[in-house]
Tab-separated table of all heavy atoms in Angstrom:
chain	number	residue	atom	x	y	z
H	7	THR	N	46.960	0.799	-6.554
H	7	THR	CA	47.246	1.105	-7.953
H	7	THR	C	48.693	0.808	-8.328
H	7	THR	O	49.054	0.922	-9.501
H	7	THR	CB	46.957	2.577	-8.277
H	7	THR	OG1	47.956	3.419	-7.683
H	7	THR	CG2	45.585	2.986	-7.763
H	8	TYR	N	49.523	0.432	-7.356
H	8	TYR	CA	50.941	0.204	-7.601
H	8	TYR	C	51.231	-1.254	-7.925
H	8	TYR	O	50.681	-2.157	-7.304
H	8	TYR	CB	51.777	0.570	-6.375
H	8	TYR	CG	51.729	2.009	-5.941
H	8	TYR	CD1	52.111	2.354	-4.650
H	8	TYR	CD2	51.315	3.009	-6.794
H	8	TYR	CE1	52.079	3.670	-4.228
H	8	TYR	CE2	51.271	4.332	-6.379
H	8	TYR	CZ	51.657	4.655	-5.095
H	8	TYR	OH	51.623	5.960	-4.681
H	9	ALA	N	52.122	-1.473	-8.886
H	9	ALA	CA	52.743	-2.780	-9.010
H	9	ALA	C	53.797	-2.900	-7.910
H	9	ALA	O	54.393	-1.905	-7.508
H	9	ALA	CB	53.389	-2.949	-10.382
H	10	MET	N	54.011	-4.110	-7.420
H	10	MET	CA	54.973	-4.338	-6.344
H	10	MET	C	55.976	-5.400	-6.753
H	10	MET	O	55.650	-6.323	-7.507
H	10	MET	CB	54.259	-4.775	-5.064
H	10	MET	CG	53.236	-3.781	-4.537
H	10	MET	SD	53.996	-2.233	-3.964
H	10	MET	CE	54.975	-2.828	-2.577
H	11	GLY	N	57.180	-5.268	-6.240
H	11	GLY	CA	58.218	-6.238	-6.566
H	11	GLY	C	59.098	-6.562	-5.383
H	11	GLY	O	59.153	-5.818	-4.399
H	12	TRP	N	59.759	-7.698	-5.476
H	12	TRP	CA	60.795	-8.098	-4.531
H	12	TRP	C	62.106	-8.249	-5.280
H	12	TRP	O	62.148	-8.884	-6.344
H	12	TRP	CB	60.457	-9.414	-3.831
H	12	TRP	CG	59.385	-9.316	-2.791
H	12	TRP	CD1	58.063	-9.601	-2.942
H	12	TRP	CD2	59.559	-8.911	-1.433
H	12	TRP	NE1	57.397	-9.401	-1.761
H	12	TRP	CE2	58.288	-8.979	-0.812
H	12	TRP	CE3	60.651	-8.506	-0.668
H	12	TRP	CZ2	58.089	-8.650	0.531
H	12	TRP	CZ3	60.450	-8.179	0.669
H	12	TRP	CH2	59.182	-8.250	1.250
H	13	PHE	N	63.155	-7.664	-4.728
H	13	PHE	CA	64.511	-7.801	-5.239
H	13	PHE	C	65.393	-8.325	-4.119
H	13	PHE	O	65.023	-8.271	-2.948
H	13	PHE	CB	65.047	-6.456	-5.741
H	13	PHE	CG	64.401	-5.963	-7.002
H	13	PHE	CD1	63.119	-5.452	-6.996
H	13	PHE	CD2	65.085	-6.014	-8.209
H	13	PHE	CE1	62.517	-4.991	-8.156
H	13	PHE	CE2	64.501	-5.551	-9.384
H	13	PHE	CZ	63.221	-5.044	-9.356
H	14	ARG	N	66.573	-8.813	-4.460
H	14	ARG	CA	67.508	-9.262	-3.436
H	14	ARG	C	68.931	-8.940	-3.854
H	14	ARG	O	69.238	-8.815	-5.036
H	14	ARG	CB	67.363	-10.762	-3.157
H	14	ARG	CG	67.735	-11.669	-4.319
H	14	ARG	CD	67.388	-13.114	-3.987
H	14	ARG	NE	67.756	-14.028	-5.053
H	14	ARG	CZ	67.454	-15.321	-5.062
H	14	ARG	NH1	66.779	-15.859	-4.044
H	14	ARG	NH2	67.839	-16.089	-6.076
H	15	GLN	N	69.800	-8.808	-2.852
H	15	GLN	CA	71.191	-8.481	-3.101
H	15	GLN	C	72.069	-9.278	-2.150
H	15	GLN	O	71.992	-9.108	-0.933
H	15	GLN	CB	71.440	-6.984	-2.928
H	15	GLN	CG	72.831	-6.534	-3.338
H	15	GLN	CD	72.931	-5.023	-3.452
H	15	GLN	OE1	72.119	-4.288	-2.886
H	15	GLN	NE2	73.910	-4.545	-4.195
H	16	ALA	N	72.896	-10.146	-2.710
H	16	ALA	CA	73.840	-10.936	-1.938
H	16	ALA	C	75.147	-10.156	-1.780
H	16	ALA	O	75.436	-9.250	-2.564
H	16	ALA	CB	74.094	-12.273	-2.627
H	17	PRO	N	75.966	-10.499	-0.773
H	17	PRO	CA	77.237	-9.793	-0.582
H	17	PRO	C	78.100	-9.811	-1.833
H	17	PRO	O	78.320	-10.864	-2.438
H	17	PRO	CB	77.896	-10.566	0.560
H	17	PRO	CG	76.749	-11.140	1.325
H	17	PRO	CD	75.737	-11.504	0.275
H	18	GLY	N	78.580	-8.643	-2.239
H	18	GLY	CA	79.440	-8.539	-3.401
H	18	GLY	C	78.729	-8.650	-4.730
H	18	GLY	O	79.391	-8.638	-5.778
H	19	GLN	N	77.404	-8.768	-4.723
H	19	GLN	CA	76.637	-8.924	-5.951
H	19	GLN	C	75.743	-7.719	-6.199
H	19	GLN	O	75.472	-6.934	-5.296
H	19	GLN	CB	75.782	-10.192	-5.893
H	19	GLN	CG	76.562	-11.461	-5.637
H	19	GLN	CD	77.487	-11.802	-6.784
H	19	GLN	OE1	77.113	-11.671	-7.947
H	19	GLN	NE2	78.694	-12.230	-6.454
H	20	GLU	N	75.288	-7.585	-7.432
H	20	GLU	CA	74.350	-6.531	-7.767
H	20	GLU	C	72.938	-6.951	-7.372
H	20	GLU	O	72.638	-8.133	-7.244
H	20	GLU	CB	74.403	-6.216	-9.261
H	20	GLU	CG	75.716	-5.625	-9.726
H	20	GLU	CD	75.693	-5.216	-11.176
H	20	GLU	OE1	74.731	-5.588	-11.894
H	20	GLU	OE2	76.620	-4.521	-11.600
H	21	ARG	N	72.090	-5.974	-7.183
H	21	ARG	CA	70.704	-6.252	-6.849
H	21	ARG	C	70.019	-6.956	-8.017
H	21	ARG	O	70.159	-6.553	-9.172
H	21	ARG	CB	69.983	-4.953	-6.512
H	21	ARG	CG	68.591	-5.141	-5.934
H	21	ARG	CD	68.068	-3.822	-5.360
H	21	ARG	NE	68.930	-3.322	-4.299
H	21	ARG	CZ	68.668	-2.245	-3.580
H	21	ARG	NH1	67.566	-1.550	-3.795
H	21	ARG	NH2	69.521	-1.854	-2.632
H	22	GLU	N	69.277	-8.024	-7.720
H	22	GLU	CA	68.618	-8.777	-8.767
H	22	GLU	C	67.119	-8.901	-8.514
H	22	GLU	O	66.655	-8.920	-7.377
H	22	GLU	CB	69.229	-10.184	-8.906
H	22	GLU	CG	68.968	-11.106	-7.734
H	22	GLU	CD	69.365	-12.545	-8.010
H	22	GLU	OE1	69.581	-12.902	-9.181
H	22	GLU	OE2	69.453	-13.327	-7.036
H	23	PHE	N	66.391	-9.011	-9.587
H	23	PHE	CA	64.950	-9.174	-9.534
H	23	PHE	C	64.583	-10.557	-9.015
H	23	PHE	O	65.216	-11.553	-9.369
H	23	PHE	CB	64.362	-8.971	-10.931
H	23	PHE	CG	62.945	-9.431	-11.065
H	23	PHE	CD1	61.897	-8.648	-10.609
H	23	PHE	CD2	62.650	-10.649	-11.657
H	23	PHE	CE1	60.587	-9.066	-10.731
H	23	PHE	CE2	61.347	-11.073	-11.788
H	23	PHE	CZ	60.311	-10.282	-11.321
H	24	VAL	N	63.538	-10.622	-8.189
H	24	VAL	CA	63.041	-11.888	-7.667
H	24	VAL	C	61.617	-12.162	-8.146
H	24	VAL	O	61.340	-13.208	-8.733
H	24	VAL	CB	63.078	-11.926	-6.132
H	24	VAL	CG1	62.471	-13.232	-5.610
H	24	VAL	CG2	64.506	-11.771	-5.629
H	25	ALA	N	60.706	-11.229	-7.900
H	25	ALA	CA	59.302	-11.437	-8.244
H	25	ALA	C	58.581	-10.098	-8.336
H	25	ALA	O	59.002	-9.114	-7.731
H	25	ALA	CB	58.607	-12.322	-7.208
H	26	ARG	N	57.486	-10.071	-9.084
H	26	ARG	CA	56.648	-8.893	-9.152
H	26	ARG	C	55.189	-9.302	-9.216
H	26	ARG	O	54.857	-10.422	-9.592
H	26	ARG	CB	56.992	-8.015	-10.359
H	26	ARG	CG	56.695	-8.671	-11.706
H	26	ARG	CD	56.305	-7.618	-12.746
H	26	ARG	NE	56.184	-8.206	-14.083
H	26	ARG	CZ	55.084	-8.797	-14.546
H	26	ARG	NH1	54.006	-8.906	-13.789
H	26	ARG	NH2	55.071	-9.291	-15.786
H	27	ILE	N	54.313	-8.366	-8.885
H	27	ILE	CA	52.881	-8.613	-8.913
H	27	ILE	C	52.177	-7.347	-9.370
H	27	ILE	O	52.553	-6.243	-8.994
H	27	ILE	CB	52.373	-9.087	-7.530
H	27	ILE	CG1	50.908	-9.521	-7.595
H	27	ILE	CG2	52.569	-8.003	-6.468
H	27	ILE	CD1	50.463	-10.287	-6.344
H	28	SER	N	51.162	-7.496	-10.197
H	28	SER	CA	50.427	-6.358	-10.718
H	28	SER	C	49.576	-5.715	-9.632
H	28	SER	O	49.403	-6.256	-8.544
H	28	SER	CB	49.546	-6.791	-11.893
H	28	SER	OG	48.586	-7.745	-11.470
H	29	TYR	N	49.023	-4.556	-9.947
H	29	TYR	CA	48.284	-3.790	-8.940
H	29	TYR	C	47.098	-4.551	-8.362
H	29	TYR	O	46.766	-4.390	-7.182
H	29	TYR	CB	47.820	-2.455	-9.535
H	29	TYR	CG	46.707	-2.585	-10.558
H	29	TYR	CD1	45.380	-2.394	-10.191
H	29	TYR	CD2	46.985	-2.886	-11.884
H	29	TYR	CE1	44.356	-2.519	-11.118
H	29	TYR	CE2	45.966	-3.004	-12.815
H	29	TYR	CZ	44.656	-2.823	-12.426
H	29	TYR	OH	43.638	-2.944	-13.351
H	30	ALA	N	46.440	-5.374	-9.188
H	30	ALA	CA	45.275	-6.119	-8.726
H	30	ALA	C	45.630	-7.507	-8.199
H	30	ALA	O	44.750	-8.210	-7.700
H	30	ALA	CB	44.252	-6.247	-9.853
H	31	GLY	N	46.883	-7.905	-8.326
H	31	GLY	CA	47.310	-9.203	-7.848
H	31	GLY	C	47.006	-10.354	-8.782
H	31	GLY	O	47.187	-11.517	-8.401
H	32	ASP	N	46.561	-10.064	-9.995
H	32	ASP	CA	46.163	-11.114	-10.921
H	32	ASP	C	47.242	-11.503	-11.918
H	32	ASP	O	47.011	-12.381	-12.752
H	32	ASP	CB	44.892	-10.705	-11.672
H	32	ASP	CG	45.049	-9.410	-12.452
H	32	ASP	OD1	46.031	-8.676	-12.217
H	32	ASP	OD2	44.177	-9.120	-13.290
H	33	ASN	N	48.405	-10.875	-11.844
H	33	ASN	CA	49.502	-11.179	-12.747
H	33	ASN	C	50.804	-11.184	-11.957
H	33	ASN	O	51.149	-10.181	-11.332
H	33	ASN	CB	49.569	-10.162	-13.878
H	33	ASN	CG	50.614	-10.497	-14.925
H	33	ASN	OD1	50.996	-11.659	-15.077
H	33	ASN	ND2	51.083	-9.498	-15.647
H	34	THR	N	51.496	-12.308	-11.975
H	34	THR	CA	52.765	-12.428	-11.266
H	34	THR	C	53.849	-12.927	-12.203
H	34	THR	O	53.573	-13.570	-13.219
H	34	THR	CB	52.659	-13.384	-10.068
H	34	THR	OG1	52.272	-14.690	-10.535
H	34	THR	CG2	51.638	-12.885	-9.062
H	35	TYR	N	55.093	-12.637	-11.840
H	35	TYR	CA	56.234	-13.050	-12.647
H	35	TYR	C	57.411	-13.285	-11.718
H	35	TYR	O	57.631	-12.526	-10.774
H	35	TYR	CB	56.569	-11.983	-13.685
H	35	TYR	CG	57.665	-12.375	-14.639
H	35	TYR	CD1	57.424	-13.252	-15.685
H	35	TYR	CD2	58.957	-11.860	-14.494
H	35	TYR	CE1	58.428	-13.615	-16.560
H	35	TYR	CE2	59.963	-12.218	-15.369
H	35	TYR	CZ	59.696	-13.095	-16.403
H	35	TYR	OH	60.690	-13.452	-17.271
H	36	TYR	N	58.208	-14.334	-12.002
H	36	TYR	CA	59.313	-14.724	-11.142
H	36	TYR	C	60.581	-14.956	-11.940
H	36	TYR	O	60.535	-15.363	-13.105
H	36	TYR	CB	58.997	-16.027	-10.399
H	36	TYR	CG	57.754	-15.986	-9.561
H	36	TYR	CD1	56.508	-16.295	-10.102
H	36	TYR	CD2	57.821	-15.646	-8.211
H	36	TYR	CE1	55.361	-16.262	-9.328
H	36	TYR	CE2	56.679	-15.614	-7.432
H	36	TYR	CZ	55.449	-15.924	-7.996
H	36	TYR	OH	54.317	-15.890	-7.221
H	37	THR	N	61.707	-14.720	-11.295
H	37	THR	CA	62.965	-15.116	-11.895
H	37	THR	C	63.041	-16.644	-11.879
H	37	THR	O	62.458	-17.298	-11.013
H	37	THR	CB	64.157	-14.495	-11.142
H	37	THR	OG1	65.361	-14.682	-11.893
H	37	THR	CG2	64.330	-15.110	-9.772
H	38	ASP	N	63.734	-17.222	-12.847
H	38	ASP	CA	63.730	-18.668	-13.019
H	38	ASP	C	64.183	-19.431	-11.773
H	38	ASP	O	63.667	-20.510	-11.474
H	38	ASP	CB	64.630	-19.065	-14.197
H	38	ASP	CG	64.014	-18.739	-15.538
H	38	ASP	OD1	62.802	-18.479	-15.597
H	38	ASP	OD2	64.754	-18.752	-16.543
H	39	SER	N	65.126	-18.901	-11.041
H	39	SER	CA	65.695	-19.624	-9.914
H	39	SER	C	64.732	-19.826	-8.745
H	39	SER	O	64.980	-20.664	-7.880
H	39	SER	CB	66.964	-18.925	-9.418
H	39	SER	OG	66.670	-17.639	-8.906
H	40	VAL	N	63.635	-19.070	-8.706
H	40	VAL	CA	62.689	-19.199	-7.594
H	40	VAL	C	61.337	-19.737	-8.025
H	40	VAL	O	60.474	-19.973	-7.167
H	40	VAL	CB	62.499	-17.862	-6.845
H	40	VAL	CG1	63.844	-17.276	-6.443
H	40	VAL	CG2	61.699	-16.867	-7.680
H	41	LYS	N	61.128	-19.959	-9.308
H	41	LYS	CA	59.849	-20.469	-9.790
H	41	LYS	C	59.532	-21.817	-9.152
H	41	LYS	O	60.377	-22.698	-9.096
H	41	LYS	CB	59.858	-20.617	-11.313
H	41	LYS	CG	59.802	-19.306	-12.064
H	41	LYS	CD	59.811	-19.536	-13.569
H	41	LYS	CE	59.752	-18.224	-14.318
H	41	LYS	NZ	59.818	-18.428	-15.789
H	42	GLY	N	58.308	-21.958	-8.672
H	42	GLY	CA	57.896	-23.185	-8.019
H	42	GLY	C	58.222	-23.239	-6.550
H	42	GLY	O	57.738	-24.135	-5.846
H	43	ARG	N	59.043	-22.313	-6.060
H	43	ARG	CA	59.415	-22.281	-4.649
H	43	ARG	C	58.883	-21.038	-3.933
H	43	ARG	O	58.475	-21.118	-2.775
H	43	ARG	CB	60.934	-22.331	-4.482
H	43	ARG	CG	61.582	-23.583	-5.052
H	43	ARG	CD	63.054	-23.666	-4.658
H	43	ARG	NE	63.825	-22.537	-5.183
H	43	ARG	CZ	64.489	-21.664	-4.431
H	43	ARG	NH1	64.475	-21.791	-3.102
H	43	ARG	NH2	65.174	-20.681	-4.989
H	44	PHE	N	58.925	-19.900	-4.604
H	44	PHE	CA	58.490	-18.638	-4.006
H	44	PHE	C	57.145	-18.222	-4.574
H	44	PHE	O	56.848	-18.481	-5.749
H	44	PHE	CB	59.492	-17.518	-4.289
H	44	PHE	CG	60.822	-17.657	-3.597
H	44	PHE	CD1	61.165	-18.800	-2.896
H	44	PHE	CD2	61.739	-16.612	-3.665
H	44	PHE	CE1	62.394	-18.918	-2.268
H	44	PHE	CE2	62.970	-16.719	-3.038
H	44	PHE	CZ	63.296	-17.863	-2.346
H	45	THR	N	56.348	-17.535	-3.762
H	45	THR	CA	55.062	-17.014	-4.193
H	45	THR	C	54.898	-15.585	-3.696
H	45	THR	O	55.016	-15.327	-2.501
H	45	THR	CB	53.899	-17.865	-3.667
H	45	THR	OG1	54.042	-19.215	-4.108
H	45	THR	CG2	52.567	-17.315	-4.179
H	46	ILE	N	54.638	-14.671	-4.621
H	46	ILE	CA	54.362	-13.291	-4.249
H	46	ILE	C	52.849	-13.095	-4.207
H	46	ILE	O	52.117	-13.640	-5.036
H	46	ILE	CB	55.026	-12.299	-5.234
H	46	ILE	CG1	54.869	-10.857	-4.732
H	46	ILE	CG2	54.475	-12.452	-6.639
H	46	ILE	CD1	55.673	-9.839	-5.545
H	47	SER	N	52.379	-12.348	-3.233
H	47	SER	CA	50.955	-12.073	-3.101
H	47	SER	C	50.769	-10.697	-2.477
H	47	SER	O	51.728	-10.096	-1.981
H	47	SER	CB	50.255	-13.150	-2.266
H	47	SER	OG	50.776	-13.189	-0.952
H	48	ARG	N	49.541	-10.196	-2.502
H	48	ARG	CA	49.284	-8.897	-1.901
H	48	ARG	C	47.892	-8.850	-1.298
H	48	ARG	O	46.983	-9.578	-1.715
H	48	ARG	CB	49.449	-7.770	-2.932
H	48	ARG	CG	48.415	-7.771	-4.046
H	48	ARG	CD	48.818	-6.804	-5.165
H	48	ARG	NE	48.907	-5.431	-4.685
H	48	ARG	CZ	49.583	-4.463	-5.293
H	48	ARG	NH1	50.254	-4.721	-6.413
H	48	ARG	NH2	49.596	-3.231	-4.787
H	49	ASP	N	47.732	-7.991	-0.322
H	49	ASP	CA	46.454	-7.738	0.314
H	49	ASP	C	46.255	-6.235	0.268
H	49	ASP	O	46.778	-5.496	1.102
H	49	ASP	CB	46.439	-8.251	1.755
H	49	ASP	CG	45.084	-8.119	2.421
H	49	ASP	OD1	44.252	-7.309	1.950
H	49	ASP	OD2	44.838	-8.817	3.410
H	50	ASN	N	45.511	-5.768	-0.725
H	50	ASN	CA	45.347	-4.336	-0.909
H	50	ASN	C	44.555	-3.674	0.219
H	50	ASN	O	44.725	-2.482	0.480
H	50	ASN	CB	44.679	-4.053	-2.254
H	50	ASN	CG	45.617	-4.269	-3.418
H	50	ASN	OD1	46.838	-4.379	-3.233
H	50	ASN	ND2	45.073	-4.330	-4.629
H	51	ALA	N	43.696	-4.430	0.876
H	51	ALA	CA	42.930	-3.882	1.990
H	51	ALA	C	43.834	-3.524	3.163
H	51	ALA	O	43.507	-2.638	3.952
H	51	ALA	CB	41.851	-4.857	2.437
H	52	GLU	N	44.971	-4.216	3.289
H	52	GLU	CA	45.908	-3.968	4.373
H	52	GLU	C	47.178	-3.264	3.913
H	52	GLU	O	48.082	-3.045	4.727
H	52	GLU	CB	46.276	-5.279	5.066
H	52	GLU	CG	45.107	-5.951	5.766
H	52	GLU	CD	45.527	-7.134	6.606
H	52	GLU	OE1	46.746	-7.405	6.684
H	52	GLU	OE2	44.647	-7.785	7.190
H	53	ASN	N	47.276	-2.916	2.650
H	53	ASN	CA	48.472	-2.274	2.093
H	53	ASN	C	49.719	-3.114	2.341
H	53	ASN	O	50.760	-2.608	2.790
H	53	ASN	CB	48.662	-0.877	2.676
H	53	ASN	CG	47.827	0.179	1.988
H	53	ASN	OD1	46.820	-0.118	1.353
H	53	ASN	ND2	48.239	1.435	2.117
H	54	LYS	N	49.630	-4.402	2.044
H	54	LYS	CA	50.753	-5.297	2.282
H	54	LYS	C	51.019	-6.192	1.080
H	54	LYS	O	50.107	-6.550	0.338
H	54	LYS	CB	50.507	-6.171	3.511
H	54	LYS	CG	50.533	-5.419	4.826
H	54	LYS	CD	50.359	-6.362	5.997
H	54	LYS	CE	50.436	-5.629	7.318
H	54	LYS	NZ	50.224	-6.546	8.474
């Protein structure tokens, strides 16, 4: 039932958004710098 996200933080920088995925895995969103390169996914049966 949870939405999940990935964030990242480089040295000396603030934490920034990378990607998110809806609870069912049918809706994803990415920051512009990773679009086309990164893919977020989930396996609810394995809680991952």
Side-chain angles (χ1 to χ4, degrees):
T7 72
Y8 298 161
M10 301 294 295
W12 286 97
F13 290 74
R14 65 187 181 186
Q15 187 167 21
Q19 303 294 319
E20 294 185 348
R21 189 168 300 184
E22 68 170 345
F23 166 80
V24 177
R26 66 149 173 85
I27 187 167
S28 62
Y29 71 97
D32 58 346
N33 185 24
T34 60
Y35 185 77
Y36 303 88
T37 191
D38 286 345
S39 64
V40 308
K41 287 180 180 178
R43 299 189 298 120
F44 291 8
T45 302
I46 187 172
S47 62
R48 67 191 299 160
D49 185 340
N50 286 346
E52 295 188 3
N53 278 22
K54 290 183 178 178

